[in-house]
Amino acid sequence: MPQAHSPIVERIARVLAGAELSANAGGIDPSASSAVDERWRDHRGQALAVLHALREPDADMVAAGDAGTWSAMVHAALQSADRADA
């Protein structure tokens, strides 16, 4: 199974920054990668809010896999983010 090499909070924050900045996603910058590199941290709080919303899987997610594993993985990501803040 593929594994990401950056924390999930950073990846979500980068997506949110890209959505704000990139012309490909409604922003105005036709090449926003450097701006995203500079500004993703501004979206960290929103990324944490997304993770909090994902703590418990919905019915379709439960039907597709192990709800306990999902919840444990999201909680681990939140704990990792807390440690990074300390």
Side-chain angles (χ1 to χ4, degrees), residues 5-10 12 14 16 18 20 38 42 45 47 50 53 57 60 62 64 70 72 75-77:
H5 296 286
S6 59
I8 188 66
V9 172
E10 178 181 341
I12 293 170
R14 285 180 174 278
L16 294 169
E20 176 186 335
E38 293 174 17
D42 298 342
V50 168
D60 290 335
V62 170
W70 173 269
H75 283 284

Side-chain angles (χ1 to χ4, degrees), residues 12-47:
I12 293 170
R14 285 180 174 278
V15 167
L16 294 169
E20 176 186 335
L21 299 167
S22 174
N24 293 329
I28 60 170
D29 192 338
S31 181
S33 64
S34 62
V36 168
D37 286 344
E38 293 174 17
R39 304 237 343 249
W40 70 265
R41 288 170 191 82
D42 298 342
H43 296 274
R44 195 170 183 283
Q46 292 171 307

Side-chain angles (χ1 to χ4, degrees), residues 8 50-58 61-62 65-77:
I8 188 66
V50 168
L51 274 177
H52 279 280
L54 291 172
R55 287 178 293 184
E56 290 139 6
D58 64 23
M61 295 165 73
V62 170
D66 185 322
T69 299
W70 173 269
S71 293
M73 293 170 78
V74 174
H75 283 284

